[in-house]
Each structure stands twice: as C-alpha cells, then as structure tokens.
Amino acid sequence: MRRGNLALLAGGLAVALLVVLVLAPNASSSPDGLERVAEDQGFIESAEDAPFDLLPDYTIPGVDNEAASTVLAGAVGVLVVAAIALLAGRILRSRAARPR
C-alpha cells in the first residue's frame, strides 16, 4: 500500500472512530427499524434469538459503563467493516491484475 493511501486510510479510520466516540453515547435506546415494525405489527413474540450474540444490543459484555460499552462496540464495528473492506479490495485488485 502506498504511503498516500495509508495516510488516507488512517485518516478515514480516525474520523470514523471520532464519530463513534462522539455520537455512540447518544444512540437511541428505542428499537431499530425491523424490531419496531415487528412490535407495531404484533409479531415480535414469534421472533427467534440469533444463534450467536457477539455484541448484544450494541454493547460489549462485561463492560459495566453503558456509554463506554456502546462506544467500544461501535469502535469494534468500525474496525471490522474496515478490515472486510480492505480484504475485499485486495482480493479484487489481485483478481484484476491477473492476465486473462
């Protein structure tokens, strides 16, 4: 990765993490869109739990401070999405570089 691209990536990650730090503690405790529709339409009781719960309710299990837990969960989300995007970019770039 070129130095300019690395600086752009680091800057983008820094901005995303700053946004999480500022906005995550103000996240709404109201249900998200799908959950709200299920409540409004009266079929929330038929919902099944996910087979795994990595970040339940956008928190980090074991962190007692709710705001800090939400910020950490948001930071984990940002880093996971960035890693997936980088990996996808590398795969696509290597496939495009192959001779046909």
Coordinates of all heavy atoms in Angstrom, one line a residue:
M1 N 0.8 -1.2 0.0 CA 0.0 0.0 0.0 C 0.9 1.2 0.0 O 1.8 1.3 0.8 CB -0.9 0.0 1.2 CG -1.9 1.1 1.3 SD -3.0 1.0 2.7 CE -4.1 -0.3 2.2
R2 N 0.6 2.2 -0.9 CA 1.4 3.4 -1.0 C 1.2 4.3 0.3 O 0.1 4.2 0.9 CB 1.0 4.1 -2.2 CG 1.6 3.4 -3.5 CD 1.4 4.3 -4.7 NE 0.0 4.0 -5.1 CZ -0.6 4.7 -6.0 NH1 0.0 5.8 -6.6 NH2 -1.9 4.5 -6.3
R3 N 2.2 5.1 0.5 CA 2.1 6.0 1.7 C 0.9 6.9 1.7 O 0.3 7.1 2.7 CB 3.4 6.8 1.8 CG 3.5 7.7 3.0 CD 4.8 8.2 3.2 NE 5.6 7.1 3.8 CZ 6.8 7.2 4.2 NH1 7.5 8.2 3.9 NH2 7.4 6.2 4.8
G4 N 0.6 7.5 0.6 CA -0.6 8.3 0.5 C -1.9 7.6 0.8 O -2.8 8.1 1.5
N5 N -2.0 6.4 0.3 CA -3.2 5.6 0.5 C -3.3 5.2 2.0 O -4.4 5.2 2.6 CB -3.2 4.3 -0.3 CG -3.4 4.6 -1.8 OD1 -3.9 5.7 -2.1 ND2 -3.1 3.7 -2.6
L6 N -2.1 4.9 2.6 CA -2.1 4.5 4.0 C -2.5 5.7 4.9 O -3.3 5.6 5.8 CB -0.7 4.1 4.4 CG -0.6 3.4 5.8 CD1 -1.5 2.2 5.9 CD2 0.9 3.0 6.0
A7 N -2.1 6.9 4.5 CA -2.5 8.1 5.3 C -4.0 8.4 5.1 O -4.7 8.7 6.1 CB -1.7 9.3 4.8
L8 N -4.5 8.2 3.9 CA -5.9 8.3 3.7 C -6.8 7.3 4.5 O -7.8 7.7 5.1 CB -6.3 8.2 2.2 CG -7.7 8.5 1.8 CD1 -8.1 9.9 2.1 CD2 -7.9 8.1 0.3
L9 N -6.3 6.1 4.5 CA -7.0 5.1 5.3 C -6.9 5.4 6.8 O -7.9 5.3 7.5 CB -6.3 3.7 5.1 CG -6.8 2.6 5.9 CD1 -8.2 2.2 5.6 CD2 -5.9 1.3 5.7
A10 N -5.8 5.8 7.3 CA -5.6 6.1 8.7 C -6.5 7.3 9.1 O -7.2 7.3 10.1 CB -4.2 6.4 9.1
G11 N -6.6 8.3 8.2 CA -7.4 9.5 8.4 C -8.9 9.1 8.4 O -9.6 9.6 9.3
G12 N -9.3 8.3 7.5 CA -10.7 7.8 7.4 C -11.1 7.1 8.7 O -12.2 7.2 9.2
L13 N -10.2 6.2 9.1 CA -10.5 5.4 10.3 C -10.5 6.3 11.6 O -11.4 6.1 12.4 CB -9.4 4.3 10.6 CG -9.6 3.0 9.8 CD1 -8.4 2.1 10.0 CD2 -10.8 2.3 10.2
A14 N -9.6 7.3 11.6 CA -9.7 8.2 12.7 C -11.0 9.0 12.8 O -11.6 9.2 13.9 CB -8.5 9.2 12.6
V15 N -11.4 9.5 11.6 CA -12.7 10.2 11.6 C -13.9 9.3 12.0 O -14.7 9.7 12.8 CB -12.9 10.8 10.2 CG1 -14.3 11.4 10.0 CG2 -11.9 11.9 9.9
A16 N -13.9 8.1 11.5 CA -15.0 7.2 11.8 C -15.0 6.9 13.3 O -16.0 6.9 13.9 CB -14.8 5.9 11.0
L17 N -13.8 6.7 13.9 CA -13.7 6.4 15.3 C -14.1 7.6 16.1 O -14.7 7.5 17.2 CB -12.3 5.9 15.7 CG -12.0 4.5 15.1 CD1 -10.6 4.1 15.4 CD2 -12.9 3.4 15.8
L18 N -13.8 8.8 15.7 CA -14.1 10.0 16.4 C -15.7 10.2 16.3 O -16.3 10.6 17.3 CB -13.5 11.2 15.7 CG -13.7 12.6 16.4 CD1 -13.2 12.6 17.8 CD2 -13.1 13.7 15.6
V19 N -16.3 9.9 15.2 CA -17.7 10.0 15.1 C -18.4 9.0 16.1 O -19.3 9.4 16.8 CB -18.2 9.7 13.6 CG1 -19.7 9.5 13.6 CG2 -17.8 10.9 12.7
V20 N -17.9 7.8 16.2 CA -18.4 6.8 17.1 C -18.2 7.3 18.5 O -19.2 7.2 19.3 CB -17.7 5.4 16.9 CG1 -18.0 4.5 18.1 CG2 -18.1 4.8 15.6
L21 N -17.1 7.9 18.8 CA -16.8 8.4 20.2 C -17.8 9.5 20.6 O -18.3 9.5 21.7 CB -15.4 8.9 20.3 CG -15.0 9.5 21.6 CD1 -14.9 8.4 22.7 CD2 -13.6 10.1 21.5
V22 N -18.1 10.4 19.6 CA -19.0 11.5 19.9 C -20.5 11.1 19.9 O -21.2 11.5 20.8 CB -18.7 12.6 18.9 CG1 -19.8 13.7 19.0 CG2 -17.3 13.2 19.1
L23 N -20.9 10.3 18.9 CA -22.3 10.0 18.7 C -22.8 8.8 19.4 O -24.0 8.7 19.8 CB -22.6 9.9 17.2 CG -22.4 11.2 16.4 CD1 -22.7 11.0 15.0 CD2 -23.2 12.4 17.0
A24 N -22.0 7.8 19.6 CA -22.5 6.5 20.2 C -23.1 6.7 21.5 O -24.1 6.0 21.8 CB -21.4 5.5 20.2
P25 N -22.6 7.5 22.4 CA -23.3 7.6 23.7 C -24.7 8.2 23.6 O -25.5 8.1 24.6 CB -22.3 8.6 24.5 CG -21.0 8.4 23.9 CD -21.3 8.2 22.4
N26 N -25.0 8.9 22.5 CA -26.3 9.4 22.3 C -27.2 8.6 21.5 O -28.3 9.0 21.1 CB -26.2 10.8 21.6 CG -25.3 11.8 22.4 OD1 -25.4 11.9 23.6 ND2 -24.4 12.4 21.7
A27 N -26.8 7.3 21.3 CA -27.6 6.4 20.5 C -29.0 6.2 21.2 O -29.1 6.1 22.4 CB -26.9 5.1 20.3
S28 N -30.0 6.0 20.4 CA -31.3 5.8 20.9 C -31.5 4.5 21.5 O -31.0 3.5 21.0 CB -32.3 6.0 19.7 OG -33.6 5.7 20.2
S29 N -32.2 4.4 22.6 CA -32.5 3.1 23.2 C -33.8 2.5 22.6 O -34.2 1.4 23.0 CB -32.6 3.2 24.7 OG -33.7 4.1 25.0
S30 N -34.4 3.2 21.7 CA -35.6 2.7 21.1 C -35.2 1.6 20.1 O -34.1 1.5 19.6 CB -36.3 3.8 20.3 OG -36.7 4.8 21.1
P31 N -36.2 0.6 19.9 CA -35.8 -0.5 19.0 C -35.5 0.0 17.6 O -36.0 1.1 17.1 CB -37.1 -1.3 18.9 CG -38.1 -0.6 19.8 CD -37.5 0.6 20.4
D32 N -34.7 -0.8 16.9 CA -34.3 -0.4 15.5 C -35.5 -0.6 14.6 O -36.6 -1.1 15.0 CB -33.1 -1.1 15.0 CG -33.2 -2.6 14.9 OD1 -34.4 -3.1 15.0 OD2 -32.2 -3.3 14.8
G33 N -35.4 -0.3 13.3 CA -36.5 -0.4 12.4 C -37.2 -1.7 12.3 O -38.4 -1.7 12.4
L34 N -36.5 -2.8 12.1 CA -37.1 -4.1 12.0 C -37.8 -4.5 13.3 O -39.0 -5.0 13.2 CB -36.1 -5.2 11.6 CG -35.6 -5.0 10.2 CD1 -34.5 -6.1 9.9 CD2 -36.6 -5.1 9.1
E35 N -37.2 -4.3 14.4 CA -37.8 -4.6 15.7 C -39.0 -3.8 15.9 O -40.0 -4.2 16.4 CB -36.8 -4.4 16.8 CG -37.2 -5.0 18.1 CD -36.1 -4.9 19.2 OE1 -34.9 -4.5 18.8 OE2 -36.4 -5.1 20.3
R36 N -39.0 -2.5 15.5 CA -40.1 -1.6 15.7 C -41.3 -2.1 14.9 O -42.5 -2.1 15.3 CB -39.7 -0.2 15.4 CG -40.8 0.8 15.5 CD -41.4 0.9 16.9 NE -42.6 1.7 17.0 CZ -42.6 2.9 17.6 NH1 -41.5 3.4 18.1 NH2 -43.7 3.6 17.6
V37 N -41.1 -2.4 13.6 CA -42.1 -2.9 12.8 C -42.8 -4.2 13.4 O -44.0 -4.4 13.4 CB -41.6 -3.2 11.3 CG1 -42.7 -3.9 10.5 CG2 -41.3 -1.9 10.7
A38 N -41.9 -5.1 13.9 CA -42.4 -6.3 14.5 C -43.3 -6.0 15.7 O -44.3 -6.7 15.9 CB -41.3 -7.2 14.9
E39 N -42.9 -5.0 16.5 CA -43.7 -4.6 17.6 C -45.0 -4.0 17.2 O -46.1 -4.3 17.7 CB -42.9 -3.6 18.5 CG -41.8 -4.2 19.3 CD -41.1 -3.2 20.1 OE1 -41.4 -2.0 20.0 OE2 -40.1 -3.6 20.8
D40 N -44.9 -3.1 16.2 CA -46.1 -2.4 15.7 C -47.1 -3.4 15.1 O -48.3 -3.2 15.2 CB -45.8 -1.3 14.7 CG -45.0 -0.1 15.4 OD1 -45.0 0.0 16.6 OD2 -44.5 0.7 14.6
Q41 N -46.6 -4.4 14.4 CA -47.5 -5.3 13.6 C -47.9 -6.5 14.5 O -48.7 -7.3 14.1 CB -46.8 -5.8 12.4 CG -46.5 -4.7 11.4 CD -47.7 -4.0 10.9 OE1 -48.7 -4.7 10.5 NE2 -47.7 -2.7 10.9
G42 N -47.3 -6.6 15.7 CA -47.8 -7.6 16.7 C -47.2 -9.0 16.5 O -47.8 -9.9 17.0
F43 N -46.0 -9.1 15.8 CA -45.5 -10.4 15.7 C -44.1 -10.5 16.4 O -43.3 -11.5 16.1 CB -45.4 -10.9 14.2 CG -44.6 -10.0 13.3 CD1 -43.3 -10.3 13.1 CD2 -45.2 -9.0 12.6 CE1 -42.5 -9.5 12.3 CE2 -44.5 -8.2 11.7 CZ -43.1 -8.5 11.6
I44 N -43.8 -9.6 17.3 CA -42.5 -9.6 17.9 C -42.3 -10.9 18.8 O -41.2 -11.4 18.9 CB -42.2 -8.4 18.8 CG1 -40.8 -8.3 19.3 CG2 -43.2 -8.3 19.9 CD1 -39.8 -7.9 18.3
E45 N -43.4 -11.4 19.3 CA -43.3 -12.6 20.1 C -42.8 -13.9 19.4 O -42.3 -14.8 19.9 CB -44.7 -13.0 20.7 CG -45.3 -11.8 21.6 CD -46.0 -10.8 20.7 OE1 -46.5 -11.1 19.6 OE2 -46.1 -9.6 21.1
S46 N -43.0 -13.9 18.0 CA -42.6 -15.0 17.2 C -41.1 -14.9 16.8 O -40.6 -15.9 16.2 CB -43.5 -15.2 16.0 OG -43.4 -14.1 15.2
A47 N -40.5 -13.9 17.2 CA -39.1 -13.7 16.8 C -38.2 -14.7 17.5 O -38.5 -15.1 18.7 CB -38.6 -12.3 17.1
E48 N -37.2 -15.2 16.9 CA -36.2 -16.1 17.5 C -34.9 -15.4 17.7 O -34.5 -14.5 17.0 CB -36.0 -17.3 16.6 CG -37.2 -18.2 16.3 CD -37.0 -19.4 15.5 OE1 -35.8 -19.7 15.3 OE2 -38.0 -19.9 14.9
D49 N -34.2 -15.8 18.8 CA -32.9 -15.2 19.1 C -31.9 -15.7 18.0 O -32.0 -16.8 17.4 CB -32.4 -15.7 20.4 CG -33.2 -15.0 21.6 OD1 -33.7 -13.9 21.3 OD2 -33.2 -15.6 22.7
A50 N -30.9 -14.9 17.8 CA -29.8 -15.2 16.9 C -29.0 -16.4 17.4 O -29.0 -16.5 18.7 CB -28.9 -14.0 16.7
P51 N -28.4 -17.2 16.6 CA -27.7 -18.4 17.1 C -26.4 -17.9 17.9 O -25.8 -18.7 18.6 CB -27.3 -19.2 15.9 CG -27.5 -18.2 14.7 CD -28.5 -17.2 15.2
F52 N -26.0 -16.7 17.7 CA -24.9 -16.1 18.5 C -25.1 -14.7 18.8 O -26.0 -14.0 18.2 CB -23.6 -16.3 17.6 CG -23.7 -15.7 16.2 CD1 -23.5 -14.3 16.1 CD2 -24.1 -16.4 15.2 CE1 -23.6 -13.7 14.8 CE2 -24.3 -15.8 13.9 CZ -24.0 -14.5 13.7
D53 N -24.5 -14.2 19.8 CA -24.7 -12.8 20.2 C -23.3 -12.2 20.5 O -22.9 -12.1 21.6 CB -25.5 -12.8 21.5 CG -26.6 -11.8 21.5 OD1 -26.8 -11.1 20.5 OD2 -27.4 -11.7 22.4
L54 N -22.6 -11.7 19.4 CA -21.3 -11.1 19.6 C -21.3 -9.8 20.3 O -20.5 -9.6 21.2 CB -20.6 -10.9 18.2 CG -20.4 -12.2 17.4 CD1 -19.8 -11.9 16.1 CD2 -19.5 -13.2 18.2
L55 N -22.2 -8.9 19.9 CA -22.3 -7.6 20.5 C -23.8 -7.3 20.9 O -24.5 -6.6 20.2 CB -21.8 -6.5 19.6 CG -20.4 -6.6 19.2 CD1 -20.0 -5.6 18.1 CD2 -19.4 -6.4 20.4
P56 N -24.3 -8.0 21.9 CA -25.7 -7.9 22.2 C -26.2 -6.5 22.5 O -25.5 -5.8 23.3 CB -25.9 -8.8 23.5 CG -24.5 -8.9 24.1 CD -23.6 -8.7 22.9
D57 N -27.2 -6.0 21.8 CA -27.7 -4.7 22.0 C -26.7 -3.6 21.8 O -26.7 -2.6 22.5 CB -28.5 -4.5 23.3 CG -29.7 -5.4 23.3 OD1 -30.4 -5.5 22.3 OD2 -30.0 -5.9 24.4
Y58 N -25.7 -3.8 20.9 CA -24.7 -2.9 20.6 C -23.8 -2.5 21.9 O -23.5 -1.4 22.1 CB -25.2 -1.6 20.0 CG -26.1 -1.9 18.8 CD1 -27.5 -1.8 18.9 CD2 -25.6 -2.4 17.6 CE1 -28.3 -2.1 17.8 CE2 -26.4 -2.7 16.5 CZ -27.7 -2.5 16.6 OH -28.5 -2.8 15.5
T59 N -23.5 -3.5 22.6 CA -22.7 -3.3 23.8 C -21.6 -4.4 23.9 O -21.7 -5.4 23.1 CB -23.5 -3.4 25.1 OG1 -24.1 -4.7 25.2 CG2 -24.6 -2.4 25.2
I60 N -20.6 -4.2 24.7 CA -19.6 -5.2 25.0 C -19.9 -5.9 26.3 O -19.9 -5.2 27.3 CB -18.2 -4.5 25.0 CG1 -17.9 -3.8 23.8 CG2 -17.1 -5.5 25.4 CD1 -17.5 -4.6 22.6
P61 N -20.1 -7.2 26.3 CA -20.4 -7.9 27.5 C -19.2 -7.7 28.5 O -18.1 -7.8 28.1 CB -20.6 -9.3 27.1 CG -20.9 -9.3 25.7 CD -20.2 -8.1 25.1
G62 N -19.6 -7.5 29.8 CA -18.5 -7.3 30.8 C -18.1 -5.9 31.1 O -17.5 -5.6 32.1
V63 N -18.5 -5.0 30.2 CA -18.2 -3.5 30.5 C -19.4 -2.9 31.1 O -20.5 -2.9 30.5 CB -17.9 -2.8 29.1 CG1 -17.6 -1.3 29.4 CG2 -16.7 -3.4 28.5
D64 N -19.3 -2.5 32.4 CA -20.4 -2.0 33.2 C -20.9 -0.7 32.8 O -22.1 -0.4 32.9 CB -20.0 -2.1 34.7 CG -19.8 -3.5 35.2 OD1 -20.4 -4.4 34.6 OD2 -19.0 -3.7 36.1
N65 N -20.0 0.2 32.3 CA -20.4 1.6 32.0 C -21.1 1.5 30.6 O -20.5 1.1 29.6 CB -19.2 2.5 31.9 CG -19.5 3.9 31.6 OD1 -20.3 4.2 30.6 ND2 -18.9 4.8 32.3
E66 N -22.4 1.8 30.6 CA -23.2 1.6 29.3 C -22.7 2.5 28.2 O -22.6 2.0 27.0 CB -24.6 2.0 29.6 CG -25.6 1.6 28.5 CD -27.0 1.9 28.8 OE1 -27.4 2.0 29.9 OE2 -27.8 2.0 27.8
A67 N -22.3 3.7 28.4 CA -21.8 4.6 27.4 C -20.5 4.1 26.8 O -20.3 4.0 25.6 CB -21.6 6.0 27.9
A68 N -19.6 3.7 27.7 CA -18.3 3.2 27.3 C -18.5 1.9 26.5 O -17.8 1.6 25.5 CB -17.4 2.9 28.5
S69 N -19.4 1.0 26.9 CA -19.6 -0.2 26.3 C -20.2 0.0 24.9 O -19.8 -0.7 23.9 CB -20.7 -1.0 27.1 OG -20.9 -2.3 26.5
T70 N -21.1 1.0 24.7 CA -21.6 1.3 23.4 C -20.5 1.9 22.5 O -20.4 1.5 21.3 CB -22.8 2.3 23.5 OG1 -23.8 1.7 24.4 CG2 -23.4 2.6 22.2
V71 N -19.7 2.8 23.0 CA -18.6 3.3 22.2 C -17.6 2.2 21.8 O -17.2 2.2 20.6 CB -17.8 4.4 23.0 CG1 -16.5 4.8 22.3 CG2 -18.7 5.6 23.2
L72 N -17.3 1.3 22.7 CA -16.4 0.2 22.3 C -17.0 -0.7 21.2 O -16.3 -1.1 20.3 CB -16.0 -0.6 23.5 CG -15.1 0.0 24.5 CD1 -14.9 -0.8 25.8 CD2 -13.7 0.2 23.9
A73 N -18.3 -1.0 21.4 CA -19.0 -1.8 20.4 C -19.0 -1.1 19.0 O -18.8 -1.8 18.0 CB -20.4 -2.1 20.8
G74 N -19.2 0.2 19.0 CA -19.1 1.0 17.8 C -17.7 0.9 17.1 O -17.6 0.8 15.9
A75 N -16.7 1.1 18.0 CA -15.3 1.0 17.5 C -15.0 -0.3 16.9 O -14.4 -0.4 15.9 CB -14.4 1.4 18.6
V76 N -15.5 -1.4 17.6 CA -15.3 -2.8 17.0 C -15.9 -2.9 15.7 O -15.4 -3.4 14.7 CB -15.8 -3.8 18.0 CG1 -15.9 -5.2 17.4 CG2 -14.9 -3.9 19.3
G77 N -17.1 -2.4 15.6 CA -17.9 -2.4 14.3 C -17.1 -1.7 13.2 O -17.0 -2.2 12.1
V78 N -16.6 -0.5 13.5 CA -15.8 0.3 12.5 C -14.6 -0.5 12.0 O -14.3 -0.6 10.9 CB -15.4 1.7 13.1 CG1 -14.3 2.3 12.3 CG2 -16.6 2.6 13.2
L79 N -13.9 -1.1 13.0 CA -12.7 -1.8 12.6 C -13.0 -3.1 11.8 O -12.2 -3.4 10.9 CB -11.9 -2.1 13.9 CG -11.3 -0.9 14.6 CD1 -10.7 -1.3 15.9 CD2 -10.4 -0.1 13.8
V80 N -14.0 -3.8 12.2 CA -14.4 -5.0 11.4 C -14.8 -4.6 10.0 O -14.4 -5.3 9.0 CB -15.5 -5.7 12.2 CG1 -16.1 -6.8 11.3 CG2 -15.0 -6.4 13.4
V81 N -15.6 -3.6 9.8 CA -16.0 -3.2 8.5 C -14.8 -2.7 7.7 O -14.7 -3.0 6.5 CB -17.1 -2.1 8.6 CG1 -17.3 -1.4 7.2 CG2 -18.4 -2.6 9.1
A82 N -13.9 -2.0 8.3 CA -12.7 -1.5 7.6 C -11.8 -2.7 7.2 O -11.3 -2.8 6.1 CB -11.9 -0.6 8.5
A83 N -11.7 -3.7 8.1 CA -10.9 -4.9 7.7 C -11.5 -5.7 6.6 O -10.8 -6.1 5.6 CB -10.8 -5.8 8.9
I84 N -12.9 -5.8 6.6 CA -13.5 -6.5 5.5 C -13.4 -5.7 4.2 O -13.1 -6.3 3.1 CB -15.0 -6.7 5.8 CG1 -15.1 -7.8 7.0 CG2 -15.8 -7.2 4.6 CD1 -16.5 -7.9 7.6
A85 N -13.5 -4.4 4.2 CA -13.4 -3.6 3.0 C -11.9 -3.7 2.5 O -11.7 -3.8 1.2 CB -13.7 -2.2 3.3
L86 N -10.9 -3.7 3.3 CA -9.6 -3.8 2.9 C -9.3 -5.2 2.3 O -8.7 -5.3 1.2 CB -8.6 -3.6 4.0 CG -8.3 -2.2 4.4 CD1 -7.5 -2.1 5.7 CD2 -7.6 -1.5 3.3
L87 N -9.8 -6.2 2.9 CA -9.6 -7.6 2.4 C -10.3 -7.7 1.0 O -9.7 -8.2 0.1 CB -10.2 -8.6 3.4 CG -10.1 -10.0 3.0 CD1 -8.6 -10.4 2.8 CD2 -10.7 -10.9 4.0
A88 N -11.5 -7.2 0.9 CA -12.2 -7.3 -0.4 C -11.5 -6.5 -1.5 O -11.4 -7.0 -2.6 CB -13.7 -6.7 -0.2
G89 N -11.0 -5.3 -1.1 CA -10.2 -4.5 -2.1 C -9.0 -5.3 -2.5 O -8.6 -5.2 -3.7
R90 N -8.3 -5.9 -1.6 CA -7.1 -6.6 -2.0 C -7.4 -7.8 -2.9 O -6.7 -8.1 -3.9 CB -6.3 -7.1 -0.8 CG -5.6 -6.0 -0.1 CD -4.8 -6.5 1.1 NE -4.1 -5.4 1.7 CZ -2.8 -5.3 1.8 NH1 -2.0 -6.2 1.3 NH2 -2.3 -4.3 2.4
I91 N -8.5 -8.5 -2.6 CA -8.9 -9.7 -3.4 C -9.3 -9.2 -4.8 O -8.8 -9.8 -5.8 CB -10.0 -10.4 -2.8 CG1 -9.5 -11.2 -1.5 CG2 -10.7 -11.4 -3.7 CD1 -10.6 -11.7 -0.6
L92 N -10.1 -8.1 -4.9 CA -10.5 -7.6 -6.2 C -9.3 -7.1 -7.0 O -9.2 -7.3 -8.2 CB -11.6 -6.5 -6.0 CG -12.9 -7.0 -5.5 CD1 -13.8 -5.8 -5.2 CD2 -13.6 -8.0 -6.5
R93 N -8.4 -6.4 -6.3 CA -7.2 -5.9 -7.0 C -6.3 -7.0 -7.6 O -5.8 -7.0 -8.7 CB -6.4 -5.0 -6.1 CG -5.3 -4.3 -6.8 CD -4.6 -3.3 -6.0 NE -4.5 -3.7 -4.6 CZ -3.7 -3.1 -3.7 NH1 -2.9 -2.2 -4.1 NH2 -3.8 -3.5 -2.5
S94 N -6.2 -8.1 -6.8 CA -5.3 -9.2 -7.3 C -6.0 -9.9 -8.4 O -5.3 -10.4 -9.3 CB -5.0 -10.2 -6.1 OG -6.2 -10.9 -5.7
R95 N -7.3 -10.0 -8.4 CA -8.0 -10.7 -9.5 C -8.0 -9.8 -10.8 O -7.9 -10.4 -11.9 CB -9.5 -10.9 -9.1 CG -9.7 -12.1 -8.2 CD -11.1 -12.4 -8.0 NE -11.3 -13.5 -7.0 CZ -12.4 -13.9 -6.6 NH1 -13.5 -13.4 -7.0 NH2 -12.5 -14.9 -5.8
A96 N -8.0 -8.5 -10.6 CA -8.0 -7.6 -11.8 C -6.6 -7.6 -12.4 O -6.4 -7.4 -13.6 CB -8.4 -6.2 -11.4
A97 N -5.6 -7.9 -11.6 CA -4.2 -7.9 -12.1 C -3.8 -9.2 -12.8 O -2.8 -9.2 -13.6 CB -3.2 -7.6 -10.9
R98 N -4.6 -10.2 -12.6 CA -4.3 -11.5 -13.3 C -4.5 -11.3 -14.8 O -5.5 -10.8 -15.2 CB -5.2 -12.6 -12.8 CG -4.8 -13.1 -11.4 CD -5.7 -14.3 -11.1 NE -5.8 -14.4 -9.7 CZ -6.8 -15.0 -9.1 NH1 -7.7 -15.6 -9.8 NH2 -6.8 -15.1 -7.8
P99 N -3.6 -11.9 -15.6 CA -3.9 -11.9 -17.1 C -5.0 -12.9 -17.4 O -5.2 -13.9 -16.8 CB -2.5 -12.4 -17.7 CG -1.8 -13.1 -16.5 CD -2.4 -12.5 -15.2
R100 N -5.8 -12.5 -18.4 CA -6.9 -13.3 -18.8 C -6.6 -14.2 -20.0 O -6.0 -14.0 -20.9 CB -8.1 -12.5 -19.1 CG -8.5 -11.8 -17.8 CD -9.8 -11.0 -18.1 NE -10.2 -10.4 -16.8 CZ -11.4 -10.4 -16.3 NH1 -12.4 -11.0 -17.0 NH2 -11.7 -9.9 -15.2

